[in-house]
Amino acid sequence: MKLQTQAEIEHAIGGRPRMKNSKVRIDFYVLQDDALKLKQIADSKGLALSQLVRSITREYLNQV
């Protein structure tokens, strides 16, 4: 049986390290036609829908 080192135990106790820019969940509703269009765009670019929405949001916020 292999015992963990003290460093491995300390690392396991703390869990995952905090991210510098952690994400938060924001729930919102869009029209069904808009949702379908967003899904089509995401599929055509090979992105997840959330990735597409985040990138669009980032672009908009950088312009404001």
Side-chain angles (χ1 to χ4, degrees):
M1 180 169 99
K2 181 180 181 267
L3 297 176
Q4 291 181 320
T5 65
Q6 184 174 354
E8 290 172 330
I9 293 171
E10 287 175 0
H11 179 69
I13 291 172
R16 208 165 48 173
R18 274 202 180 276
M19 292 176 53
K20 199 160 95 174
N21 292 328
S22 62
K23 296 177 184 156
V24 296
R25 179 179 296 268
I26 299 176
D27 296 323
F28 58 93
Y29 293 93
V30 295
L31 296 173
Q32 193 169 16
D33 291 342
D34 294 341
L36 291 173
K37 195 170 188 177
L38 282 169
K39 287 177 184 178
Q40 288 172 346
I41 295 169
D43 285 342
S44 70
K45 293 186 177 207
L47 298 172
L49 180 59
S50 59
Q51 287 177 306
L52 177 66
V53 172
R54 280 194 302 269
S55 68
I56 291 170
T57 304
R58 228 177 280 118
E59 286 177 27
Y60 177 79
L61 292 174
N62 287 334
Q63 292 175 2
V64 174

